[in-house]
Amino acid sequence: MPANIEKYQAILHELNQHNVQLIAVSKTKPNEDILDLYELGQKAFGENYVQELVDKAAQLPKDIQWHFIGHLQSNKVKYIAPFVHLIHGVDSEKLLQEINKQAIKQNRTIDCLLQVHIATEETKFGFDADSISELIQSGRLANYSNIRIKGLMGMASFSEDTSILTKEFSTLKQIFDQSSIQLSSDFTILSMGMSSDYALAISLGSNMVRIGSLLFGARNYSK
Ligand SMILES: *Cc1c(COP(=O)(O)O)cnc(C)c1O
């Protein structure tokens, strides 16, 4: 299935009015679908799986900005360190250490978002509110010479209950505002919102949304 061009243009128009950046989430989708949007000017794409990302990056235009939005295992950082544009899901200091080490090896600075656990579900990764505050106040982030902390990322519960989502997104926005007081002017990105909840996320302060199925259709994991 080709990408939904009309939907893409409508979403882009909506996001531009709010100064929100679109990450087109292309996981499990073929290169042709990515090129459909690339040819319209979309440069930022999000992927969840390291091997898939590495393969796509090798095959597709070099000016694509690849966002890693999945759960990243430390032993796989080295594969994406040479080219990744922004890592959204940084959820432990062990991972920060490894990203920093690989960034030094590549002689580059890697931009990262710290993932905050806002959902009530156990399965979503991320720092909890207390540990993120502790980490930021400790000053330890300054030890990572080759990492630039650009902001926060969070995923709300898998729920259609707007009051639950509102509570979770508002919590993340509050943590973001508190953190930005203490961190440098690089700290500007709040990545929250997906196909089902991006409008709500934007109304609650998101400035980067990660949208997949609305653009590319439902994913089929069975292949
Ligand atoms: C898959 C994924 C998305 C996109 O989900 P859609 O519901 O298809 O928009 C966004 N963020 C993360 C972290 C994802 O894994």
Side-chain angles (χ1 to χ4, degrees), residues 25 27 48 69 153 155 194-196 210-213 219:
V25 176
K27 63 187 182 210
N48 282 50
I69 64 172
M153 180 270 220
M155 287 172 83
M194 323 188 354
S195 289
S196 58
R210 309 173 309 271
I211 297 183
S213 38
R219 286 175 293 274

Side-chain angles (χ1 to χ4, degrees), residues 3 6 10-12 23-24 55 62 70 72 77 82 87 94 106 118 122 151-152 154 162 187 201 206 209 213:
E6 274 171 32
I11 291 174
L12 205 58
I23 310 306
D55 291 346
K62 294 301 165 229
L72 183 57
V77 174
I87 300 176
K94 178 172 172 245
Q106 297 294 330
I118 51 171
E122 299 264 327
L152 302 180
T162 312
F187 191 87
S206 167
V209 294
S213 38

Side-chain angles (χ1 to χ4, degrees), residues 52-198:
E52 183 179 351
L53 171 54
V54 167
D55 291 346
K56 285 176 170 172
Q59 292 156 4
L60 286 161
K62 294 301 165 229
D63 62 340
I64 287 183
Q65 298 172 348
W66 292 108
H67 291 243
F68 191 81
I69 64 172
H71 177 64
L72 183 57
Q73 290 170 289
S74 295
N75 61 358
K76 297 203 169 153
V77 174
K78 57 178 176 285
Y79 301 115
I80 62 171
F83 66 89
V84 69
H85 182 75
L86 180 65
I87 300 176
H88 288 231
V90 179
D91 60 359
S92 72
E93 291 192 67
K94 178 172 172 245
L95 186 54
L96 279 169
Q97 280 163 19
E98 180 63 19
I99 294 169
N100 194 53
K101 184 175 138 193
Q102 297 299 333
I104 290 168
K105 271 197 193 166
Q106 297 294 330
N107 196 23
R108 63 185 297 241
T109 296
I110 296 183
D111 288 342
C112 292
L113 304 180
L114 300 174
Q115 183 171 359
V116 185
H117 181 273
I118 51 171
T120 43
E121 292 143 35
E122 299 264 327
T123 52
K124 304 234 161 109
F125 296 100
F127 291 98
D128 62 36
D130 289 342
S131 50
I132 201 110
S133 310
E134 191 276 326
L135 173 61
I136 287 168
Q137 283 170 18
S138 71
R140 290 196 299 280
L141 289 171
N143 298 339
Y144 303 111
S145 58
N146 288 47
I147 289 178
R148 199 161 31 218
I149 302 291
K150 296 283 288 182
L152 302 180
M153 180 270 220
M155 287 172 83
S157 291
F158 187 71
S159 166
E160 282 169 13
D161 184 336
T162 312
S163 67
I164 293 178
L165 302 178
T166 299
K167 188 161 160 274
E168 293 173 356
F169 285 144
S170 305
T171 301
L172 184 55
K173 174 66 159 83
Q174 212 170 34
I175 297 170
F176 176 76
D177 288 340
Q178 284 160 3
S179 308
S180 58
I181 297 170
Q182 311 198 40
L183 293 172
S184 76
S185 55
D186 292 326
F187 191 87
T188 54
I189 297 175
L190 180 54
S191 168
M192 63 180 194
M194 323 188 354
S195 289
S196 58
D197 55 19
Y198 77 91

